[in-house]
Structures are given as C-alpha cells and as structure tokens.
Amino acid sequence: MKKPIQKFATFAASLLLFAALAGVSSAHAQTRGWAHGGKKSAPSTSDLVPKMSSNMAYTERYGFAVDLDGGGHIGVDWTISNLGWGNGKGGADVRVNLPKHKNYRFKKELGEGEWQYSTKQFAMNIADTSVHARGKNSFLVTHKGEDISFSLTFTNTTPMWQPGNGEIRVKDGYYKFNILAPRANVKGHVTIGGKKINVKGTQSGYADHVATDIAPFDFAHRFSRLRTTKDDVSVMWREIKLHPNYGGQTFTWVMVGYKDKIVFSDADAQIRFAKMRKDPKSGYEFPMAIQIDAKSGKDSIKLVMDGSKFKRTDLLASYGTAAKVVASAVSNPYRYDVSCDYTLEMVIGGAKAQVSGKSHYVMDYINK
C-alpha cells in the first residue's frame, strides 16, 4: 500500500500532466494556419496602411527589391516596431549594388513622431526613404542620401496576393503576410555623385509585407523560405514552425507563377527535411535537402531541393541595440542560407511540366 505522501505525489503528477496536455490542446485548438478561416481574397493597398498598435511586440515590415537588367540589385526595407525601448519606432534599410560602383548601405532608426505615414492611403517616409502606392498595382520608392539617391517605380505584372487567408492566428496574437508585388517591372534612376544612371528590372521586382503582434522569439522556432525564377516560371514557398507554447505545428504554403499569372497555390503544403546537419557552433540541426508536396484540386506539384553548401549568419549581430538586448535574453537566432539544385514537377490543368535550376533556401532558427 502506498504511503499518503506517495499517493499525493502521484495524484499531483497526474494533475500536472493533465494540465500540460490541456494547455497543449487549448493552444492547438486556438491556432489557425494559412488555410483555415478568414477571407481568401487578394489584399489591397488599404491593407498596407500601418496599424500602429500599442502592443509591446507589434512590428510591421515592408520590403521592396529588384534585380536589375544587366546586373546589380536595389533593396529597401521599412520597419515599424515597439520591440525594445519605446513605441512606434521607424527604421529604413537601403542597399544599392551597381556594376562598377561601390556597394552602398544606409540604415537609420527614428523615434515615434520623427517619421511620417498616411492613415488614409499607403504612404510612408522614414529617414528620407519613402514609398507610396500609385493606384492598385504600382508603387513609387525613393531615397535621398548624401552619397546616393534614387527613384524607382514598381509596376506589378502579377497582382497582389496572399497565401490562403493571409495569416496565422494563435491564442493571443497574429502573424500576417502578403505579397505586394509577386513580379513587377521596375523603372527609374539612381544618382551617384551628381550623375544620373537609368535603371530597370524586367519582371524582376518583388515586394512583401509582414505584420505581427508577437515577438519572433516567442512566436516561432523557425522561419524558412525560397523564392526563385527560371525563365517564365517562378516558385515561392514559406514555412513557419511555431514555438511549443503555441502547439509547435508547422505551416507551409507554396505558390507557382507562369508569366503574369499565379497558376498554382496551396496554403497547406507538406514539407519534408533530409540530409540533416548539426551546427556545432549554434547547436541547431538543419536540412541540406527539402521536398515540398502540394495539391490544389486535381493539380499538384513536387519541389525537390538538394543543397550543396551553406552560409551561417549570427542574426543577433544584425539587430539594433534595443532589439538585441531583448532578443539575446530569450533567443539564439541563426540563419542558414543553403545553395541548392532544385527540380519542380507540375501537373496543372492536366498538363505535365518540369523545371530545374539553381537557387538557395533560407532558414532562420530562433529558439531551440
């Protein structure tokens, strides 16, 4: 016969196990992925107006990028965040890489009230770096720096899009994602030392938008992604593995474009990892091969990526001072950029097709 204290310990352990299981079940029940609930219509420019929440973890990021005809790249990110000290901070991050010119990088963060945005339409200006919508499918992006300035117009050849309902919803927050420009023509000019250089990117412009009220180190274990184009075919996928506090599920979506149309998408795709490699520096284990299987009605795709080499990045080194203090206490973020050969097999509209090429996928590990 068990002693009273042993009985109590057994009973208490049972209660703790039940509570833990109930907590996981509750978190799982309140979690909705890209494919579940909410609207499934395309986003509009009004969805891009900053929400300016007072939530301590509120963050929005807008990213525009273009690979230029003839070589070169221009990218701009705007970030609004309450993470760290102070609310409503705004930051701009600009990269300009042109052939025969020195690479240019500009980063600046401003406090609340030191930058401008419109509450009626999508228009922002942070640190002399601006973006605003021009109609439903065009965006003007400008930067005025001491050494370099530019003005670029992104004109969508593929309309704005979002995976499924456009968000992951958990018990106490959300993570929203939409693509402002899946593919866009870009025209404009860059001025260097008073000399104006005309630039353009033919169907090589891209832009997206993320909004959340959960800190990344609380929300997810891992963020993964790939975006690549071969001739007229483009493919893009993103995967998020949630933190155990939110059930630990994995949500993956994939999209395939052909010329100016999105011809396939699945907001509930299946992802599998292989050739796992453990990084002795960080302790993270990441895949050197990935396969994604997806279906939409009678259509289906299989995307296989076979990695050859990888680059590791300590993400804490790129954080701002305030964000670094907060993040370092609760997370250990590392990025793995894996160069790969890929093969995309498609059955769409009864027709079979295959595309192969070289690209890279990126995996951000936030928490073990």
Side-chain angles (χ1 to χ4, degrees), residues 213-233:
D213 62 355
I214 309 173
F217 38 81
D218 289 332
F219 179 63
H221 165 66
R222 178 182 63 235
F223 297 87
S224 309
R225 58 198 177 276
L226 173 143
R227 179 175 63 89
T228 194
T229 299
K230 177 73 177 292
D231 300 324
D232 289 329
V233 177

Side-chain angles (χ1 to χ4, degrees), residues 65-69 154 183-186 200-206 227:
V66 56
D67 291 323
L68 300 171
D69 296 355
F154 285 67
R183 294 186 80 173
N185 286 327
V186 179
K200 69 175 182 176
T202 305
Q203 285 199 328
S204 58
Y206 172 82
R227 179 175 63 89

